[in-house]
Amino acid sequence: MPQQANMEPAAAHRPGVATERGGFQDVRPNPANEAAANRPQKQSDDQVVVAAEGPRRVLAGFVYTFQEDSYGRHWVLHEGDNLVGRADTAVKCDVPIAHGTTSTRHATIRCADGQLGVQDLRSTNGTFVKGRRIEPNMSTPLQDGDTLRFGAYTVHVVAAAQRG
């Protein structure tokens, strides 16, 4: 069983995660020790937190699907632009989709001020909102519960701000 990470006394005064013993453990990366920042940190017997790379982003919602996976799959949407594209390419996507009808840089889902919109990036097989193909390079508003299709891959939208 891995050993519980030690808490330094000042950790209780910094943002962190509550531990089983009632204290707090700082989970922010330590710039003085990059290797330690990327190692999993033990929180409790059933929880491990891995320090995230880069600045923290604001959650705006997510998209989910049960297509090709009966357990379901989801991708988090953050404030700003979220690139949708084909998985397993050199392009880093926020919503990587492993489907042959999805282009490498297929679409962008923009989240700003509680509003969501999708823009097709001139994909080969198109982007569809509620079954209707959208025009390339034009933003189309999205609502909570909308169905999106990237080529032949369907996802459903959950907009956090629209849920109250």
Side-chain angles (χ1 to χ4, degrees):
M1 179 175 194
Q3 184 177 8
Q4 175 105 9
N6 290 332
M7 283 183 3
E8 58 184 65
H13 302 291
R14 293 191 303 238
V17 175
T19 65
E20 270 184 39
R21 297 184 180 135
F24 285 88
Q25 179 177 0
D26 189 2
V27 294
R28 294 175 298 174
N30 179 355
N33 187 353
E34 287 296 319
N38 292 322
R39 276 197 313 262
Q41 299 175 4
K42 185 74 173 168
Q43 297 298 309
S44 68
D45 288 339
D46 61 346
Q47 181 184 21
V48 174
V49 173
V50 178
E53 294 179 20
R56 191 166 172 191
R57 297 172 66 193
V58 177
L59 174 72
F62 60 94
V63 292
Y64 69 93
T65 187
F66 291 96
Q67 185 171 329
E68 300 179 359
D69 186 346
S70 62
Y71 288 106
R73 179 159 171 103
H74 72 279
W75 297 270
V76 174
L77 300 174
H78 293 101
E79 283 288 318
D81 289 344
N82 297 270
L83 179 63
V84 178
R86 188 176 303 173
D88 302 324
T89 66
V91 176
K92 184 179 184 301
C93 297
D94 299 292
V95 182
I97 297 174
H99 197 269
T101 63
T102 304
S103 296
T104 302
R105 293 178 47 83
H106 196 99
T108 299
I109 300 174
R110 175 168 287 155
C111 306
D113 301 322
Q115 302 298 312
L116 277 65
V118 63
Q119 180 178 349
D120 182 83
L121 300 176
R122 296 196 178 277
S123 64
T124 303
N125 295 306
T127 301
F128 300 78
V129 176
K130 296 186 271 188
R132 300 190 108 150
R133 189 174 188 145
I134 64 171
E135 293 294 320
N137 296 326
M138 293 187 66
S139 185
T140 301
L142 295 173
Q143 299 296 317
D144 185 56
D146 278 354
T147 300
L148 278 173
R149 199 171 83 224
F150 305 108
Y153 196 85
T154 303
V155 299
H156 306 279
V157 176
V158 175
Q162 296 174 13
R163 293 206 164 213

